[in-house]
Amino acid sequence: DTAVSQTPKYLVTQMGNDKSIKCEQNLGHDTMYWYKQDSKKFLKIMFSYNNKELIINETVPNRFSPKSPDKAHLNLHINSLELGDSAVYFCASSPHTGNTIYFGEGSWLTVV
Amino acid sequence: AQSVTQPDIHITVSEGASLELRCNYSYGATPYLFWYVQSPGQGLQLLLKYFSGDTLVQGIKGFEAEFKRSQSSFNLRKPSVHWSDAAEYFCAVGARGSSNTGKLIFGQGTTLQVKP
């Protein structure tokens, strides 16, 4: 069983569309994250949630909205997609803040 | 400002040769330290981590890393590289204690190429 799973793995969409990426972890962790990897492979945190509560929002445009229906799920919704949103988005989780973070396989988003 | 530097953007080694990937960090105090590996088209896999204790830590796939406080470094090593080790390697740091939000700061990555 995959510990942190995200869907879809690949997504190609047009500018202006709205899309969602779903993430689920079956590790029983309290904290979940979204990281973005840009075209230069630089990784940066976007959001983190602890027990469904937002604890980090790294000055991400408000077109990006995370939603955590329960502590095992953290979805990422993106409105009005722009070319610059093309990236790999990684979901991750950890037992709590300050512990080892485990990453999903990534979702490759291409905006055309 | 907190930062992580991986000085080598690209390294090529021959299969069977030893490997050392460098990582230096700038942080207010000793952070938690991690190395992750990303194979082409894949996610990030944790290789090893340092929280406290022995400064030489062992990880998966035969990797080890040594924390040197005086040099603010956490270099990754492997005595004999296999072709399957070709990948992108990321060093990362996280805060300790009350500053800990779980946020990791990553280096820019080192691409490892392995020659047959």
Side-chain angles (χ1 to χ4, degrees):
Chain A
D1 285 342
T2 304
V4 182
S5 60
Q6 25 181 140
T7 55
K9 182 160 185 175
Y10 300 102
L11 181 57
V12 181
T13 188
Q14 291 186 325
M15 284 175 54
N17 283 351
D18 302 338
K19 291 294 177 186
S20 292
I21 305 172
K22 295 186 176 182
C23 179
E24 175 182 5
Q25 54 95 1
N26 62 5
L27 297 166
H29 290 170
D30 287 341
T31 309
M32 295 186 72
Y33 310 84
W34 279 107
Y35 278 78
K36 179 180 179 180
Q37 184 176 45
D38 64 22
S39 58
K40 296 184 179 179
K41 299 189 177 180
F42 181 66
L43 280 150
K44 187 175 179 183
I45 192 168
M46 300 173 69
F47 302 103
S48 75
Y49 271 73
N50 189 56
N51 277 321
K52 303 195 298 175
E53 180 182 348
L54 179 68
I55 56 173
I56 295 177
N57 182 339
E58 283 282 309
T59 60
V60 177
N62 57 16
R63 297 183 296 104
F64 290 79
S65 53
K67 293 275 192 311
S68 182
D70 55 61
K71 73 175 192 178
H73 296 83
L74 181 61
N75 304 323
L76 182 65
H77 188 76
I78 314 170
N79 289 326
S80 303
L81 278 156
E82 300 177 355
L83 293 176
D85 297 331
S86 296
V88 185
Y89 292 86
F90 285 101
C91 180
S93 73
S94 61
H96 50 79
T97 58
N99 209 305
T100 305
I101 295 177
Y102 297 89
F103 287 83
E105 293 288 302
S107 294
W108 271 253
L109 172 65
T110 302
V111 182
V112 297
Chain B
Q2 302 160 351
S3 65
V4 178
T5 301
Q6 294 178 241
D8 304 305
I9 302 299
H10 193 111
I11 283 184
T12 300
V13 299
S14 297
E15 191 168 15
S18 64
L19 171 71
E20 182 169 28
L21 302 182
R22 295 182 291 164
C23 173
N24 295 96
Y25 64 88
S26 173
Y27 218 80
T30 300
Y32 294 140
L33 296 155
F34 306 86
W35 275 99
Y36 287 87
V37 60
Q38 183 180 22
S39 297
Q42 299 298 312
L44 292 159
Q45 183 181 23
L46 178 69
L47 282 176
L48 47 75
K49 61 188 178 186
Y50 173 76
F51 282 9
S52 64
D54 192 344
T55 56
L56 183 63
V57 294
Q58 303 297 319
I60 62 171
K61 305 184 179 186
F63 285 92
E64 66 177 26
E66 185 171 12
F67 166 57
K68 293 186 177 180
R69 184 191 310 271
S70 61
Q71 298 177 19
S72 296
S73 69
F74 188 55
N75 294 347
L76 182 71
R77 300 194 293 251
K78 186 169 185 178
S80 178
V81 170
H82 187 262
W83 64 266
S84 60
D85 293 324
E88 192 80 20
Y89 291 80
F90 293 95
C91 181
V93 302
R96 292 178 178 267
S98 60
S99 302
N100 196 328
T101 59
K103 170 183 173 180
L104 291 181
I105 297 173
F106 283 86
Q108 60 267 57
T110 298
T111 302
L112 173 64
Q113 185 177 2
V114 180
K115 292 190 302 184

